[in-house]
């Protein structure tokens, strides 16, 4: 509504606003670079955690439990339920993922048969990574270490979206819109091979 937009001082769309303890926390307006958006969201989560607010993680875990309960009570209870996916994963992101618990304080991993990620923001068509992790093997090892701590080492590891990394802004990459179909196929094949080499069980691709 126009009144709400005026009250929030909206000058561009989209406008992203967080809510902490019932208080609005404006993050950014308009389209923005991935790194800027991630920094703003990470800070919001840091402030929320510092204030003992983990409502988002709890909500996700509660939804996961509801899905699990529904599947297991259905006519096809043998269907595998995969845990929620996260994207643009730093070490802190992984820690938050593995700490998720339901309202009843039960680990989210009690309600899934495997875990999944959208590992974007990690490499560009040259094969170089963005600096978050040294390489794909290091990233996978970080996940498996946390899986062992959580007691779910045997769970399959899924990549529920794998595709060509696409920057949000045409000025953020020299190769924006410049790759041919053949180049995309070459890079996608190399990425799928890296998942295979590191023992990821499920890979869902797009291009």
């Amino acid at each position: 509504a126009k009144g709400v937009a005026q009250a929030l001082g909206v000058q561009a769309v989209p406008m992203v606003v967080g809510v902490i303890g019932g208080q609005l926390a404006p993050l950014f307006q308009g389209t923005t670079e991935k790194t800027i958006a991630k920094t703003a969201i990470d800070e919001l989560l840091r402030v929320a955690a510092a204030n003992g607010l983990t409502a988002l993680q709890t909500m996700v875990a509660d939804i996961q439990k509801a899905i699990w309960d529904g599947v297991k009570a259905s006519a096809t209870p043998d269907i595998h339920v995969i845990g929620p996916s996260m994207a643009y994963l730093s070490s802190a992101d992984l820690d938050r993922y593995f700490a998720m618990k339901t309202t009843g304080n039960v680990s989210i991993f009690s309600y899934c048969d495997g875990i999944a990620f959208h590992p974007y923001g990690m490499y560009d068509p040259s094969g170089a990574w963005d600096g978050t992790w040294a390489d794909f093997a290091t990233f996978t090892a970080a996940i498996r270490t946390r899986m062992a701590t959580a007691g779910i080492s045997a769970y399959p590891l899924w990549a529920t979206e794998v595709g060509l990394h696409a920057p949000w802004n045409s000025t953020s990459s020299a190769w924006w819109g410049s790759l041919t179909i053949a180049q995309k196929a070459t890079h996608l094949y190399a990425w799928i091979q890296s998942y295979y080499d590191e023992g990821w069980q499920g890979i869902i691709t797009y291009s």
Side-chain angles (χ1 to χ4, degrees):
K2 184 177 181 180
V4 175
Q6 291 176 337
L8 292 175
V10 177
Q11 298 179 338
V13 292
M15 179 178 184
V16 180
V17 179
V19 181
I20 300 179
Q23 301 298 312
L24 295 180
L27 298 181
F28 53 86
Q29 298 188 40
T31 56
T32 188
E33 296 284 345
K34 178 193 76 175
T35 53
I36 296 174
K38 188 177 188 306
T39 297
I41 293 171
D42 282 348
E43 178 61 15
L44 177 72
L45 293 174
R46 185 194 67 77
V47 173
N51 286 276
L53 301 173
T54 56
L56 177 59
Q57 290 97 317
T58 300
M59 180 185 70
V60 171
D62 285 345
I63 292 173
Q64 182 72 26
K65 180 181 183 301
I67 294 171
W68 172 272
D69 290 345
V71 169
K72 298 309 174 182
S74 72
T76 53
D78 56 334
I79 292 177
H80 282 200
V81 178
I82 305 302
S85 291
M86 287 184 65
Y88 298 112
L89 298 154
S90 66
S91 181
D93 292 330
L94 289 181
D95 289 339
R96 284 191 288 268
Y97 182 90
F98 282 90
M100 286 192 288
K101 294 183 178 181
T102 66
T103 302
N105 202 36
V106 178
S107 170
I108 192 172
F109 304 117
S110 295
Y111 306 107
C112 57
D113 301 299
I115 60 175
F117 297 97
H118 295 351
Y120 296 136
M122 296 181 180
Y123 36 44
D124 65 24
S126 70
W129 283 49
D130 67 1
T132 303
W133 303 94
D135 51 38
F136 190 73
T138 302
F139 167 65
T140 302
I143 294 175
R144 295 201 183 280
T145 295
R146 289 165 172 80
M147 290 174 68
T149 300
I152 57 170
S153 296
Y155 277 26
L157 188 55
W158 284 71
T160 41
E161 281 191 22
V162 179
L164 187 65
H165 177 67
W168 294 10
N169 189 302
S170 61
T171 62
S172 63
S173 173
W175 51 267
W176 170 273
S178 63
L179 295 182
T180 65
I181 295 297
Q183 287 173 319
K184 288 183 179 182
T186 297
H187 295 308
L188 188 58
Y189 177 83
W191 297 340
I192 292 174
Q193 183 66 51
S194 69
Y195 287 98
Y196 176 81
D197 291 342
E198 293 301 324
W200 289 58
Q201 177 167 311
I203 305 170
I204 301 174
T205 68
Y206 78 91
S207 181

